[in-house]
Amino acid sequence: KNEVEQSPQNLTAQEGEFITINCSYSVGISALHWLQQHPGGGIVSLFMLSSGKKKHGRLIATINIQEKHSSLHITASHPRDSAVYICAVLTSGSRLTFGEGTQLTVNP
Amino acid sequence: DAGITQSPRHKVTETGTPVTLRCHQTENHRYMYWYRQDPGHGLRLIHYSYGVKDTDKGEVSDGYSVSRSKTEDFLLTLESATSSQTSVYFCATLGGEGQPQHFGDGTRLSIL
């Protein structure tokens, strides 16, 4: 079993829908990251959080440390949100352990 | 992003040849990482560095070596490439704990 599990693996939505991607982890962490990878491969950091909730535009990330669970929400989804979303946890020192990613496709 | 340049961006080579990938950063970040990304596995850490000449192995380090003689450069070497090393390789940097990692654009390596 992977230390970081994401669900779903694939998600297709219609433009405007509210989207949730989940991440569960089984190890102690100091922080959790959400990353976005667009077709063409570039990876960008969306959020880094260790408690509570963060919001940036239409994106919201939450974490529950006791339940070892995080969610990434996208409100009013748009085709340009189509990408792979990756959850990663910071464990010992400065090393990240990654989930396999969630492929999101938003249709117009 | 964060001044990270990977070279080459694409490479095709034959089994048994040596290959070196370069990661160059302009942000003076202390930590540097090499990952590989394969379908069904996500990103996996190959090697990382926490300073000049200070490196350590990641979870998939067999068949790879690294060197960091300057803060700005982190080299990944495949001494004798094998087909199982066909992958997309990402370099990343981290300025310090509590900061997000910044990723290069990736190198697509095909070993025939």
Side-chain angles (χ1 to χ4, degrees):
Chain A
K1 183 172 163 51
N2 292 338
E3 292 179 336
V4 181
E5 296 278 354
Q6 286 185 236
S7 63
Q9 286 188 310
N10 294 281
L11 180 58
T12 300
Q14 288 300 120
E15 184 173 357
E17 287 184 359
F18 180 84
I19 288 163
T20 297
I21 299 170
N22 296 298
C23 176
S24 297
Y25 53 93
S26 57
V27 293
I29 70 169
S30 54
L32 182 143
H33 297 248
W34 281 101
L35 309 167
Q36 181 191 56
Q37 183 173 26
H38 273 287
I43 299 171
V44 296
S45 178
L46 297 175
F47 295 103
M48 183 178 67
L49 64 166
S50 55
S51 65
K53 179 168 94 171
K54 287 190 175 181
K55 184 174 187 290
H56 185 260
R58 294 179 295 106
L59 301 178
I60 303 166
T62 64
I63 187 168
N64 184 318
I65 295 293
Q66 286 73 28
E67 294 185 5
K68 295 187 174 179
H69 181 269
S70 175
S71 293
L72 176 68
H73 305 286
I74 305 175
T75 62
S77 59
H78 190 276
R80 65 175 174 266
D81 296 325
S82 297
V84 175
Y85 292 84
I86 303 169
C87 171
V89 297
L90 187 66
T91 54
S92 60
S94 56
R95 292 175 57 160
L96 285 175
T97 301
F98 297 82
E100 292 185 22
T102 295
Q103 174 69 61
L104 171 65
T105 303
V106 181
N107 294 318
Chain B
D1 186 46
I4 300 171
T5 304
Q6 289 187 231
S7 59
R9 293 293 315 281
H10 303 271
K11 186 173 182 67
V12 180
T13 190
E14 294 183 347
T15 300
T17 60
V19 177
T20 295
L21 308 183
R22 180 181 185 236
C23 178
H24 178 80
Q25 57 127 341
T26 59
E27 298 296 314
N28 201 38
H29 284 175
R30 176 184 174 190
Y31 299 94
M32 298 186 75
Y33 306 82
W34 276 110
Y35 298 100
R36 59 178 291 174
Q37 186 179 40
D38 305 288
H41 288 281
L43 286 155
R44 291 182 291 174
L45 181 64
I46 305 171
H47 282 279
Y48 67 104
S49 169
Y50 42 94
V52 173
K53 297 186 179 176
D54 289 325
T55 64
D56 206 349
K57 296 178 180 180
E59 60 183 303
V60 289
S61 59
D62 286 349
Y64 302 94
S65 62
V66 290
S67 66
R68 191 167 180 204
S69 58
K70 299 185 289 185
T71 298
E72 57 266 35
D73 289 326
F74 192 32
L75 303 180
L76 177 70
T77 297
L78 292 64
E79 299 289 348
S80 178
T82 67
S83 58
S84 64
Q85 294 174 311
T86 292
S87 186
V88 181
Y89 291 84
F90 285 95
C91 172
T93 71
L94 177 67
E97 292 189 24
Q99 298 180 23
Q101 287 194 7
H102 299 275
F103 288 81
D105 290 332
T107 294
R108 188 170 297 273
L109 177 63
S110 297
I111 300 164
L112 307 177

